[in-house]
Amino acid sequence: MTTTAVGAAGSSRRYLHSLWLLSARDLRVRYATSALGYLWSVLDPLVMSGIYWFVFTQVFQRSVGEEPYMVFLITALLPWVWFNSAVTDFTRAFNKDARLVRSTSIPRSIWVTRIVLSKGIEFILSLPVLILFVLVTGAPVTWNLLWFPVGVLLMTSLLVGLGLLVAPLCVLWGDLERTTKLILRALFYASPIIYGVADLPGVFSELAAFNPLSGIFTLFRVGFFPDQWDTLTVVVGAMMSVAFLGLGMLVFRSLERPVLKEL
């Protein structure tokens, strides 16, 4: 990767250029080694949505979510795939490219942000699936859809913050990679994906606000399901996303040297 011709060392222009090159490389590698290519970006959430739609509409008497349920599922499953795949890649962000991490002159945080960007692009590329099911099912589209970009922004902030925490810690403590996978499995069911925040009984609907994904998924859903709006969940989710970003920056700054020694 050559970046000397674009911006001075340490400049934001050079950082952004390097970020784009690394993210584009990730996407090329992912699609070049796959016969289905782009279709993998949509198959995972599509298959998951189909399974949960079948279980909760054809097998069991569903009492959660809204109609059309397929759209209800996809509006949260697509950003969940972005979140899950990014956090999974954070666990080996530095070990995977240890030689480049040690030798590069650009800020090491780029090995986190390039994952967020590449997975975010895949998320954008998967949105035609959502559009298709909105058209097929006749799901209503409201002005609340303007909250969708805010959800993207908060998800980006949350992921960058988590990446700056998870990536260096996994280098220093290898067992955290397996621990992170277990946490992600539990977090899937603890997040309002197959259900909405309003479906939770009693105090659990208030506790859900302290899962930042609850507020973010609400912003993705509210354009099609206005009744899913929950001010507490959205506000707390936004505050926690920004807080994770700040915490991640502080922790990463203090762990960068130990990580380089370990690599």
Side-chain angles (χ1 to χ4, degrees):
M1 180 182 67
T2 303
T3 59
T4 54
V6 181
S11 68
S12 58
R13 185 183 177 190
R14 182 174 180 179
Y15 182 92
L16 292 174
H17 180 69
S18 301
L19 174 61
W20 174 249
L21 287 178
L22 288 168
S23 301
R25 184 199 67 170
D26 287 348
L27 292 171
R28 282 197 301 270
V29 170
R30 176 176 173 82
Y31 293 139
T33 58
S34 169
L36 292 179
Y38 161 72
L39 289 179
W40 283 117
S41 296
V42 300
L43 275 179
D44 188 21
L46 189 58
V47 170
M48 290 175 66
S49 298
I51 292 172
Y52 286 110
W53 173 85
F54 178 78
V55 170
F56 285 100
T57 64
Q58 306 300 310
V59 179
F60 297 110
Q61 185 67 34
R62 178 176 58 86
S63 60
V64 296
E66 294 191 34
E67 292 292 347
Y69 190 59
M70 195 66 168
V71 174
F72 184 86
L73 282 171
I74 291 177
T75 49
L77 274 171
L78 292 181
W80 166 259
V81 171
W82 178 14
F83 178 86
N84 182 70
S85 59
V87 173
T88 299
D89 280 5
F90 290 154
T91 62
R92 51 184 181 272
F94 292 131
N95 291 322
K96 184 179 179 181
D97 293 306
R99 184 178 300 177
L100 276 175
V101 174
R102 289 194 304 267
S103 61
T104 186
S105 60
I106 52 180
R108 272 81 184 191
S109 61
I110 200 170
W111 302 99
V112 168
T113 53
R114 57 107 178 180
I115 292 174
V116 178
L117 177 58
S118 62
K119 298 301 180 183
I121 292 173
E122 290 183 355
F123 166 72
I124 298 299
L125 292 175
S126 69
L127 290 181
V129 174
L130 172 60
I131 296 172
L132 174 63
F133 278 100
V134 168
L135 295 175
V136 169
T137 61
V141 180
T142 72
W143 285 106
N144 287 321
L145 194 62
L146 294 175
W147 286 108
F148 200 97
V150 180
V152 172
L153 179 61
L154 290 180
M155 179 69 89
T156 301
S157 300
L158 176 62
L159 283 173
V160 171
L162 287 174
L164 293 175
L165 286 167
V166 172
L169 289 174
C170 282
V171 173
L172 300 175
W173 293 283
D175 287 343
L176 282 179
E177 181 175 348
R178 292 187 177 89
T179 304
T180 300
K181 292 179 180 179
L182 291 175
I183 293 174
L184 285 173
R185 290 178 187 175
L187 190 59
F188 175 85
Y189 294 101
S191 301
I193 299 173
I194 58 179
Y195 56 86
V197 174
D199 296 315
L200 293 170
V203 71
F204 289 105
S205 60
E206 297 177 3
L207 291 175
F210 294 95
N211 174 359
L213 291 178
S214 297
I216 293 172
F217 290 166
T218 296
L219 293 174
F220 285 123
R221 264 192 180 134
V222 74
F224 310 100
F225 307 99
D227 292 342
Q228 292 297 309
W229 178 266
D230 185 283
T231 302
L232 175 66
T233 300
V234 172
V235 171
V236 174
M239 293 174 62
M240 290 187 69
S241 298
V242 174
F244 269 111
L245 178 59
L247 178 62
M249 293 171 67
L250 289 174
V251 170
F252 187 84
R253 193 174 298 130
S254 65
L255 293 181
E256 186 172 358
R257 286 189 177 181
V259 166
L260 290 176
K261 290 180 180 179
E262 188 70 23
L263 291 174

